[in-house]
Amino acid sequence: MEEICAPDNMEAAIRAVVRNKGAAGIDGITVKQLPAVLAACWPEVEGQLLQGRYQPQPVRRVEIPKPAGGTRNLGIPCAIDRVIQQAILQRLQPLWDPTFSEHSYGFRPGRSAHQAVAQAQAYVIEGYHFVVDLDLAKFFDRVHHDRLMAAVAARISDRRVLRVIRAYLTAGVLRGGLFEESREGVPQGGPLSPLLSNLVLDELDRELERRGHRFVRYADDCNIYVRSEKAGQRVMASLTRFIERRLKLQVNADKSAVARPWERSFLGFTVRNDRAFRRCISAKAITRFKDRVRVLTRRHRGIPVERMIADLAPILRGWAGYFGFSQLSELQALDGWIRRRLRCVAWVQWKTRRRRYQELRRLGVSEKAASELVWSPKGPWRLSSTHALHRAYSNARFRNLGLPSMATSFTA
């Protein structure tokens, strides 16, 4: 606990929490106010931590929609508790992380989702053409506190640290002004939760290693690769028993399956059923992306194209940075689709034939081409692919307006 409360460790924790931003907890203190608040109250908080008397505040419950439907429960600790959790994390992670399995990639320094996807692809290339796709039902909400604390106590001897970690697990939840006890689960949203989740699932990793399986785990997403469907069904049945009886967790039977790797997605990617088993973006990820873009580029949204581009830009950069790892050219096709939607929006917003003709001429379209387009009986979507609108809103013009190209920004 003395190492956790050391000035250099606390200063680094404060910087990390401020850098990560995030919403305020139940006390309403924001990360901007955090340094001044801690300067006033830290001596008292530090004394409580060193004496083993510190009691965290309940977390604020926030429900966010999942990409595939349903909601995910987030527990947002107050800013001071986030700093203390971050300080604990900074001391424990360097000690614990080297002991975790090499097959675990989530929430670990120097490891990424791309590495997990590449390893999964390597297993398929090696000839393991069936995947046991395990989905743990509400994993973060169902972690067994006593089992988790037993695993923590096996690695930590300082009772004050054990006490404060358990206090975070049992601090409770404030939802709509009503307090709820926390009898199980790890609140998603605190800095310490990812490390604790890896500790819980390390037992699963060791069991899979003991059995000699080829597997990849990223947080609670676990894929095991086998050579036959029969072997996959056998692995699914035995692991379900292990997870539910030993780990006290629950396998989601509706979302778990034994299937060909190209029929399942892993971290937004899948493999193509070709000779090279190239990795590509999953159909579900592309559908969710298109749905999001459609919302931002509605024809009657009532904002100019330039504003739509400003709204789209950060999403496109994020998508390029992550899904540029694909070995196919989906991003190039999506770039063209987005530009076509924006051309369609511009055409609809010009409204009248006179305005459309004036705008086309202003943007460099010839008189003949502008007249033909204005008097065309075709609808906006079909017209958005015409040469005249491509000339009016060329790729270069979109770049000047700030629209990033996902296909080129990743390679750049």
Side-chain angles (χ1 to χ4, degrees):
M1 184 59 79
E2 281 77 10
E3 293 179 19
I4 290 169
C5 294
D8 61 333
N9 190 51
M10 293 305 303
E11 289 172 7
I14 294 170
R15 288 196 299 271
V17 171
V18 171
R19 183 172 59 249
N20 292 336
K21 299 179 181 179
I26 64 170
D27 59 2
I29 297 175
T30 65
V31 291
K32 290 184 178 180
Q33 300 167 323
L34 180 60
V37 171
L38 270 179
C41 71
W42 177 244
E44 181 182 355
V45 172
E46 182 182 24
Q48 292 174 355
L49 287 168
L50 293 174
Q51 295 167 25
R53 296 187 297 106
Y54 183 75
Q55 181 59 45
Q57 297 188 59
V59 298
R60 181 166 66 89
R61 171 69 78 229
V62 175
E63 294 181 354
I64 61 172
K66 288 184 177 181
T71 59
R72 175 179 286 111
N73 291 330
L74 288 187
I76 302 177
C78 67
I80 295 175
D81 285 330
R82 289 213 293 275
V83 169
I84 297 171
Q85 287 192 38
Q86 179 68 31
I88 296 172
L89 173 70
Q90 290 168 182
R91 289 305 189 209
L92 296 188
Q93 191 163 50
L95 301 175
W96 293 7
D97 192 77
T99 70
F100 291 152
S101 169
E102 63 175 328
H103 302 280
S104 167
Y105 292 87
F107 310 125
R108 297 183 61 187
R111 289 178 166 249
S112 68
H114 286 172
Q115 292 173 340
V117 170
Q119 182 59 70
Q121 180 190 18
Y123 288 140
V124 179
I125 293 172
E126 288 174 18
Y128 296 87
H129 292 169
F130 284 88
V131 60
V132 181
D133 188 352
L134 279 175
D135 184 271
L136 300 180
K138 296 184 177 180
F139 165 70
F140 283 92
D141 296 334
R142 290 178 173 162
V143 170
H144 193 277
H145 285 174
D146 290 340
R147 285 191 56 81
L148 171 56
M149 288 309 303
V152 174
R155 295 168 178 253
I156 296 176
S157 58
D158 192 327
R159 291 183 177 275
R160 297 167 298 178
V161 180
L162 294 173
R163 198 172 289 124
V164 76
I165 290 176
R166 181 175 278 279
Y168 277 121
L169 295 176
T170 59
V173 173
L174 203 65
R175 186 206 301 261
L178 299 176
F179 176 78
E180 298 177 7
E181 286 187 78
S182 299
R183 297 182 178 178
E184 61 180 2
V186 177
Q188 251 182 301
L192 197 55
S193 299
L195 181 64
L196 295 178
S197 70
N198 272 333
L199 182 61
V200 170
L201 293 175
D202 188 58
E203 189 171 354
L204 173 61
D205 296 341
R206 298 308 175 189
E207 178 66 15
L208 290 169
E209 288 176 348
R210 187 184 68 79
R211 299 184 185 188
H213 289 309
R214 274 93 176 152
F215 73 97
V216 181
R217 183 177 66 78
Y218 191 95
D220 56 337
D221 288 333
C222 186
N223 280 6
I224 303 103
Y225 294 85
V226 295
R227 291 191 183 273
S228 70
E229 185 176 9
K230 186 176 180 180
Q233 296 293 354
R234 187 171 61 249
V235 169
M236 174 69 82
S238 62
L239 282 180
T240 299
R241 288 193 298 270
F242 176 82
I243 289 169
E244 295 183 350
R245 295 177 184 177
R246 182 74 175 271
L247 302 185
K248 309 298 182 184
L249 298 171
Q250 187 174 343
V251 173
N252 188 332
D254 294 333
K255 294 185 178 180
S256 300
V258 177
R260 295 289 193 176
W262 43 88
E263 296 171 352
R264 307 293 291 182
S265 64
F266 181 54
L267 303 177
F269 290 91
T270 187
V271 292
R272 193 176 181 87
N273 186 16
D274 57 22
R275 293 184 64 182
F277 298 110
R278 291 172 294 172
R279 60 180 175 267
C280 55
I281 306 172
S282 72
K284 287 183 180 179
I286 291 177
T287 299
R288 289 196 296 265
F289 174 76
K290 283 190 168 183
D291 288 343
R292 193 174 183 187
V293 171
R294 285 189 181 100
V295 170
L296 294 177
T297 58
R298 294 192 308 274
R299 299 178 189 178
H300 303 288
R301 192 177 168 204
I303 63 173
V305 170
E306 292 79 5
R307 172 69 185 281
M308 286 187 180
I309 290 174
D311 293 343
L312 282 170
I315 297 171
L316 301 187
R317 292 191 189 99
W319 238 72
Y322 184 73
F323 286 105
F325 193 58
S326 170
Q327 293 175 315
L328 299 186
S329 55
E330 302 102 330
L331 296 185
Q332 185 175 352
L334 288 171
D335 276 340
W337 176 77
I338 290 168
R339 289 192 294 266
R340 186 175 178 184
R341 283 195 64 85
L342 291 172
R343 292 183 183 109
C344 185
V345 168
W347 180 257
V348 171
Q349 289 184 348
W350 289 338
K351 293 184 179 179
T352 65
R353 285 194 176 97
R354 181 178 180 181
R355 171 82 185 280
R356 287 168 177 169
Y357 180 83
Q358 291 174 343
E359 291 292 342
L360 289 171
R361 294 289 291 129
R362 182 179 67 83
L363 295 171
V365 179
S366 67
E367 290 184 22
K368 181 181 177 182
S371 295
E372 289 178 354
L373 199 65
V374 164
W375 291 100
S376 172
K378 295 177 181 178
W381 182 247
R382 292 184 66 185
L383 291 176
S384 64
S385 63
T386 59
H387 175 74
L389 268 178
H390 270 256
R391 181 174 178 82
Y393 274 99
S394 64
N395 295 359
R397 177 170 172 78
F398 278 126
R399 282 196 300 271
N400 292 336
L401 292 174
L403 182 71
S405 168
M406 293 190 292
T408 58
S409 61
F410 181 79
T411 55

